[in-house]
Each structure stands twice: as C-alpha cells, then as structure tokens.
C-alpha cells in the first residue's frame, strides 16, 4: 500500500496489510514515503501553522441537502476559522456532497486539503489508486480503527476523526 499510511498524529508510523502483517521497512524508509506522498500533515497544519481541521459526518441518504448551503458553510470555515484540512469517511450521500464541496473550494482557495480517513486497509487502495489520488490529498488509516474488531472499526475511526478535529460538520 504505497499510498496509504497509518495515522500521522501521535501514533506510530506503521504500515500493515489486511492480515495485520507489519511492514519490516526501517523507520527512515517509512518517513521518506510519508514525505514523498503526503504533503499535508494534519498535525503540522493544525498545531504549527495554526490552521484548523474539520471533519464531517452525515447519514447514508442525504434527503433535502442543499449543496450550495453546504459550500457556503465550508467557505465560511475557511475564511473565518482558518480551516484548511477537511476529513471525511467517504461512505454516504452526505460524504459525497461534502467531498464535492471541498473539491470546488480547493479550486478557489489555495492550501486546502481533503483527507479520506478509512477505518481499515483494503485492496481497493491499490486497484483504485488513480481515482483516489485525483480526489484526495491523503488517505489515512488510524491505527486504532485498523486494529479494532471489524464491527467496531467505523465507530473507532469516527471517534479518531472527532478527536483530531477543531470543527465538525454534521448532517442528521
């Protein structure tokens, strides 16, 4: 999985395959991979640059969602709250609308990044890598959710996203 890394925050930089086999690569090699593939470190952006991180959650179906209103809200977060990093679980209609809005705003505002936070590694990271790289600036798999029981992985990932965000957009 050259384009997927475990979480970058206060967690170990480890790469694991689905079978939980730890990558034997030395730490220096893993750090080089991070530098080559991930220009937007959320810890650096939020703590050093004082820019903020926003994550979003919503139901699988997004009945009555006003895409324009969502875009206005996100732009307000960019302009008034200094949000520059947006995280999504990319699992439902609301998440798709959120991704579309952030992608439009990235064309208008420099320095905006979109991160897909997956609950666990999957083969699609390799098979669909070109598609993902065209949309997301980073793909993060938090170690906590990757090592959690598969039925709890999404809940653990969501908690990780909230814990690493300054703002949360929710559509219920």
């Amino acid at each position: 999985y050259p384009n997927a890394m475990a979480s970058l925050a206060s967690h170990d930089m480890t790469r694991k395959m689905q079978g939980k086999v730890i990558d034997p690569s030395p730490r220096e090699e893993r750090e080089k991979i991070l530098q080559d593939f991930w220009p937007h470190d959320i810890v650096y952006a939020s703590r050093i640059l004082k820019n903020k991180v926003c994550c979003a959650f919503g139901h699988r179906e997004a009945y009555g969602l006003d895409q324009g209103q969502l875009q206005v809200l996100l732009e307000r977060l960019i302009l008034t709250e200094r949000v520059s990093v947006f995280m999504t679980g990319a699992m439902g209609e609301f998440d798709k609308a959120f991704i579309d809005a952030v992608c439009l705003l990235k064309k208008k505002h420099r320095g905006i990044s979109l991160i897909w936070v997956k609950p666990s590694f999957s083969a699609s990271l390799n098979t669909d890598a070109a598609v993902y790289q065209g949309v997301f600036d980073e793909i993060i798999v938090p170690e906590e959710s990757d090592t959690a029981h598969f039925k709890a992985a999404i809940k653990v990932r969501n908690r990780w996203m909230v814990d690493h965000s300054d703002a949360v957009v929710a559509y219920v």
Side-chain angles (χ1 to χ4, degrees), residues 14-172:
T14 59
R15 291 188 300 172
K16 295 182 181 183
M17 295 180 278
Q18 268 181 304
K20 309 289 188 242
V21 177
I22 296 176
D23 185 339
S25 305
R27 180 179 177 87
E28 294 78 23
E29 185 178 324
R30 293 194 307 266
E31 287 175 349
K32 177 157 179 17
I33 291 170
L34 278 175
Q35 292 170 354
D36 292 344
F37 286 98
W38 307 124
H40 303 95
D41 181 337
I42 62 173
V43 172
Y44 177 78
S46 66
R47 303 300 186 289
I48 307 301
L49 299 179
K50 304 293 186 223
N51 289 346
K52 295 185 180 169
V53 179
C54 172
C55 67
F57 300 97
H59 287 289
R60 190 166 301 276
E61 291 86 23
Y63 299 112
L65 175 66
D66 183 341
Q67 183 72 27
Q69 206 173 21
L70 176 60
Q71 191 167 340
V72 168
L73 171 66
L74 297 179
E75 189 162 28
R76 190 171 351 140
L77 288 172
I78 292 167
L79 296 174
T80 63
E81 301 298 326
R82 295 190 60 165
V83 171
S84 64
V85 178
F86 293 90
M87 296 191 295
T88 179
M91 295 187 78
E93 285 181 20
F94 175 75
D95 291 345
K96 171 76 169 97
F98 179 80
I99 292 165
D100 291 344
V102 172
C103 287
L104 286 172
L105 291 168
K106 284 176 64 172
K107 294 175 184 176
K108 190 175 178 181
H109 301 279
R110 294 183 51 192
I112 303 299
S113 61
L114 178 60
I115 299 174
W116 179 14
V117 183
K118 287 184 58 67
S120 60
F121 285 104
S122 64
S124 68
L125 289 173
N126 286 332
T127 57
D128 301 326
V131 173
Y132 299 147
Q133 289 173 345
V135 176
F136 300 102
D137 297 297
E138 294 184 52
I139 299 172
I140 295 176
V141 178
E143 185 176 3
E144 294 94 330
S145 65
D146 189 45
T147 57
H149 188 274
F150 74 95
K151 290 184 177 181
I154 292 172
K155 181 179 177 184
V156 172
R157 183 270 321 263
N158 290 350
R159 170 59 66 184
W160 185 92
M161 288 172 61
V162 169
D163 289 346
H164 290 83
S165 294
D166 300 294
V168 176
V169 175
Y171 185 79
V172 292

